[in-house]
Amino acid sequence: MSIESADPFTTAVDSLHSAGQMLLDIHPNIHFITHSVLVAYKMRQSEVEGRLFAVRYPIASCATHFIVSLFGAILSNFLLGVPVVQVCTDPQNLLLSFVAWYLVFFSPYDIILNLLNLLPLRIVLEILHEIKRAINVHLGILQAAKVYPEAWTVMAIIGTIKGSGTSWGITFSRLITNSPLATEHELINFVAATRISLITGVILGLSQVGILKLDALAVLPVVATIMIAVRLGGLVYQWGDPFTLTQELLWRPFVMFIQEEVEVDNSDNHEDMQGSGLARFRPIYTESKTLIEGERDSESDEPGTVLTGGGMVTRQRGKLKKHD
C-alpha cells in the first residue's frame, strides 16, 4: 500500500491560510488599543500637536486623536456612501481612545511615555500595528466588494485608505492644530505604509474579482511579514523607504528627455520635492521672462538658465548668452 505524499505547495498554502485566519481571530480591541496608543505617542512627540497643545486645547487634542485613529474608516465610509458617524456607534472605541490619549499625554511622571520610549516595547507594538494594517487592507477589500463587486480598482483604493488611514488623517490633524506643515499631505509624498497598502490592495482586489487566483487569507501573513520587516527596519536600523528606488526607476523613462532641456538650481521654490525621491529626475523651471541678448536682469545677477519664447538664455554674472 503506497502512502501518497502531500503536495509541498498545497501544504504551504494551507499553512499560510491557517496563519491568516489566526491573524483575523486576534481580538479587535487589542489592535485598536495598540493603534490608539501609537497615534497618541506620535502626537505627543510632535512639536505642534504635543503636550502644550493638549493642555491648552484638551477637547481639540482628544478629538483629533480619535479622528486620526479612525480616519481610514471615516474616509472609506465617505467614499462608499456609508454614514460617516458609523465609526462613533461603538462607545467602547470612544472610551479606549480617550484612555489611550489621556495616559500618553497626562500619565503621572510620564510613566506611559517613558515606557513607550523603550525600544523592546515599541517593537512589540509596531508588530501588532503592522498586523492590524494588513488586516485593515483585507477588510477594506471586503467592504468595497459589497458595494462594487466587480470594480477591483475601487477595492484597491478603499483597501489602501483603510490600511494607511493614519497617514491620511495627519493632514486633517494639522489643519485643526494650525500647523505650518498643513500643505504637506500624503498625495505629495507617500510613506512606505501607503505604498505597501496600495500594492497589497491591488493584489487582493485582483484576486477578489478572480483575475488572480490567490487565496486572500494565504496572502495576508506574507503581507504582514513584509510590513513588519519594513517598519522594524526603519525603527531599529533607520532604513529609508525601500520603495523610493523602485519609484525612481519607474519614473526615470518618462522624464529622461525632459530633464535635459533646462538645468536650473532653484531649490528655494521647490523644497517640497525634496525627500520624494523624484527631485533629481524632475525638471525645475524658473519664471519665464522675455530677455534680449545683452540685456541685464535687474533682479538678480546669479548664474542660471531661463526659458524664453525665443530660446534659452544663460545668465553668467550679469551677462546673458542666448542659445537659439
Short mmCIF file of all heavy atoms in Angstrom, two decimals, residues 2 16 22 47 70 80-81 110 123 135 171 195 205 208-209 216 236-237 243 297 308 315:
data_model
loop_
_atom_site.label_atom_id
_atom_site.label_comp_id
_atom_site.label_asym_id
_atom_site.label_seq_id
_atom_site.Cartn_x
_atom_site.Cartn_y
_atom_site.Cartn_z
N SER A 2 0.71 2.09 -0.97
CA SER A 2 1.52 3.30 -1.10
C SER A 2 0.85 4.45 -0.39
O SER A 2 -0.37 4.61 -0.42
CB SER A 2 1.72 3.66 -2.58
OG SER A 2 0.47 3.92 -3.19
N LEU A 16 -0.29 28.92 5.30
CA LEU A 16 -0.47 30.37 5.24
C LEU A 16 -1.93 30.74 5.46
O LEU A 16 -2.23 31.76 6.10
CB LEU A 16 0.01 30.90 3.88
CG LEU A 16 1.53 30.85 3.63
CD1 LEU A 16 1.84 31.28 2.20
CD2 LEU A 16 2.27 31.74 4.63
N MET A 22 -5.66 32.91 11.80
CA MET A 22 -5.25 33.23 13.17
C MET A 22 -5.09 34.74 13.36
O MET A 22 -5.44 35.27 14.42
CB MET A 22 -3.94 32.51 13.50
CG MET A 22 -4.05 31.00 13.63
SD MET A 22 -2.44 30.21 13.90
CE MET A 22 -1.95 31.00 15.43
N GLU A 47 5.92 68.66 17.72
CA GLU A 47 6.11 69.97 18.33
C GLU A 47 4.81 70.77 18.35
O GLU A 47 4.59 71.59 19.23
CB GLU A 47 7.19 70.75 17.56
CG GLU A 47 8.57 70.11 17.64
CD GLU A 47 9.59 70.91 16.88
OE1 GLU A 47 9.22 71.93 16.27
OE2 GLU A 47 10.78 70.51 16.87
N LEU A 70 -9.23 56.76 13.58
CA LEU A 70 -10.26 56.10 12.76
C LEU A 70 -10.43 56.77 11.41
O LEU A 70 -11.48 56.61 10.78
CB LEU A 70 -11.60 56.12 13.52
CG LEU A 70 -11.64 55.30 14.81
CD1 LEU A 70 -12.96 55.51 15.53
CD2 LEU A 70 -11.44 53.82 14.52
N LEU A 80 -17.69 55.34 0.05
CA LEU A 80 -18.63 54.27 -0.30
C LEU A 80 -20.08 54.64 -0.01
O LEU A 80 -20.97 53.83 -0.24
CB LEU A 80 -18.27 53.00 0.46
CG LEU A 80 -16.94 52.35 0.07
CD1 LEU A 80 -16.66 51.15 0.96
CD2 LEU A 80 -16.93 51.94 -1.40
N GLY A 81 -20.32 55.86 0.48
CA GLY A 81 -21.69 56.27 0.75
C GLY A 81 -22.26 55.73 2.04
O GLY A 81 -23.47 55.76 2.25
N ASP A 110 4.90 60.96 33.54
CA ASP A 110 5.09 60.48 32.16
C ASP A 110 5.52 59.01 32.13
O ASP A 110 6.40 58.61 31.35
CB ASP A 110 6.10 61.34 31.42
CG ASP A 110 5.48 62.64 30.92
OD1 ASP A 110 4.26 62.67 30.77
OD2 ASP A 110 6.24 63.60 30.69
N ILE A 123 8.88 47.78 19.66
CA ILE A 123 8.93 46.73 18.64
C ILE A 123 7.68 45.86 18.72
O ILE A 123 7.06 45.54 17.69
CB ILE A 123 10.21 45.88 18.82
CG1 ILE A 123 11.44 46.71 18.43
CG2 ILE A 123 10.13 44.61 17.98
CD1 ILE A 123 12.75 45.99 18.65
N ILE A 135 -4.56 43.49 8.07
CA ILE A 135 -5.96 43.09 8.23
C ILE A 135 -6.89 44.18 7.72
O ILE A 135 -7.93 43.90 7.09
CB ILE A 135 -6.25 42.76 9.70
CG1 ILE A 135 -5.46 41.51 10.12
CG2 ILE A 135 -7.74 42.54 9.95
CD1 ILE A 135 -5.58 41.18 11.59
N THR A 171 -2.94 65.07 7.80
CA THR A 171 -3.24 66.36 7.18
C THR A 171 -4.41 67.04 7.88
O THR A 171 -4.39 68.24 8.15
CB THR A 171 -3.57 66.17 5.69
OG1 THR A 171 -2.45 65.55 5.04
CG2 THR A 171 -3.85 67.51 5.02
N ARG A 195 2.47 52.93 0.37
CA ARG A 195 2.90 52.19 -0.82
C ARG A 195 2.62 50.70 -0.68
O ARG A 195 2.12 50.05 -1.60
CB ARG A 195 4.39 52.43 -1.06
CG ARG A 195 4.77 53.90 -1.25
CD ARG A 195 6.30 54.01 -1.31
NE ARG A 195 6.75 55.36 -1.07
CZ ARG A 195 7.01 56.26 -2.01
NH1 ARG A 195 6.82 55.93 -3.27
NH2 ARG A 195 7.44 57.47 -1.70
N GLY A 205 -7.40 43.00 -4.53
CA GLY A 205 -8.54 43.38 -5.37
C GLY A 205 -8.63 42.52 -6.62
O GLY A 205 -9.73 42.09 -7.02
N GLN A 208 -9.88 39.19 -5.65
CA GLN A 208 -11.29 39.21 -5.26
C GLN A 208 -12.21 39.07 -6.47
O GLN A 208 -13.26 38.41 -6.39
CB GLN A 208 -11.61 40.52 -4.51
CG GLN A 208 -13.02 40.65 -4.00
CD GLN A 208 -13.32 39.69 -2.87
OE1 GLN A 208 -12.43 39.29 -2.13
NE2 GLN A 208 -14.59 39.32 -2.72
N VAL A 209 -11.82 39.66 -7.60
CA VAL A 209 -12.66 39.58 -8.82
C VAL A 209 -12.29 38.38 -9.68
O VAL A 209 -12.88 38.18 -10.74
CB VAL A 209 -12.53 40.88 -9.64
CG1 VAL A 209 -13.04 42.06 -8.84
CG2 VAL A 209 -11.10 41.12 -10.10
N ALA A 216 -6.83 34.92 -0.43
CA ALA A 216 -6.60 36.17 0.31
C ALA A 216 -6.04 35.90 1.70
O ALA A 216 -5.13 36.61 2.16
CB ALA A 216 -7.90 36.97 0.40
N VAL A 236 14.56 50.27 13.90
CA VAL A 236 15.78 49.80 14.56
C VAL A 236 17.03 50.23 13.82
O VAL A 236 17.99 50.73 14.42
CB VAL A 236 15.75 48.26 14.71
CG1 VAL A 236 17.02 47.75 15.37
CG2 VAL A 236 14.52 47.83 15.50
N TYR A 237 17.03 50.08 12.49
CA TYR A 237 18.24 50.34 11.71
C TYR A 237 18.17 51.65 10.91
O TYR A 237 19.10 51.94 10.16
CB TYR A 237 18.48 49.18 10.74
CG TYR A 237 18.68 47.86 11.44
CD1 TYR A 237 17.66 46.90 11.46
CD2 TYR A 237 19.87 47.55 12.09
CE1 TYR A 237 17.82 45.68 12.09
CE2 TYR A 237 20.04 46.34 12.73
CZ TYR A 237 19.01 45.41 12.73
OH TYR A 237 19.17 44.21 13.37
N PHE A 243 10.89 51.54 -1.20
CA PHE A 243 10.18 51.67 -2.46
C PHE A 243 10.57 52.93 -3.22
O PHE A 243 10.11 53.14 -4.34
CB PHE A 243 8.67 51.67 -2.21
CG PHE A 243 8.16 50.40 -1.61
CD1 PHE A 243 8.00 50.30 -0.24
CD2 PHE A 243 7.87 49.30 -2.40
CE1 PHE A 243 7.53 49.12 0.33
CE2 PHE A 243 7.41 48.13 -1.84
CZ PHE A 243 7.24 48.03 -0.46
N ASP A 297 19.42 91.35 -16.26
CA ASP A 297 18.28 91.19 -15.37
C ASP A 297 18.47 92.08 -14.16
O ASP A 297 19.48 92.02 -13.47
CB ASP A 297 18.18 89.71 -14.93
CG ASP A 297 16.93 89.46 -14.12
OD1 ASP A 297 16.12 90.38 -14.02
OD2 ASP A 297 16.82 88.34 -13.60
N THR A 308 12.81 81.18 -22.58
CA THR A 308 12.02 82.27 -23.13
C THR A 308 11.41 81.84 -24.43
O THR A 308 11.69 80.75 -24.94
CB THR A 308 12.91 83.52 -23.37
OG1 THR A 308 13.86 83.21 -24.39
CG2 THR A 308 13.65 83.91 -22.09
N ARG A 315 22.37 83.04 -17.91
CA ARG A 315 22.88 84.21 -17.20
C ARG A 315 24.18 83.85 -16.53
O ARG A 315 24.25 82.90 -15.77
CB ARG A 315 21.86 84.68 -16.16
CG ARG A 315 22.28 85.93 -15.42
CD ARG A 315 21.36 86.22 -14.26
NE ARG A 315 20.00 86.41 -14.69
CZ ARG A 315 19.02 85.60 -14.34
NH1 ARG A 315 19.29 84.55 -13.60
NH2 ARG A 315 17.79 85.82 -14.74
#
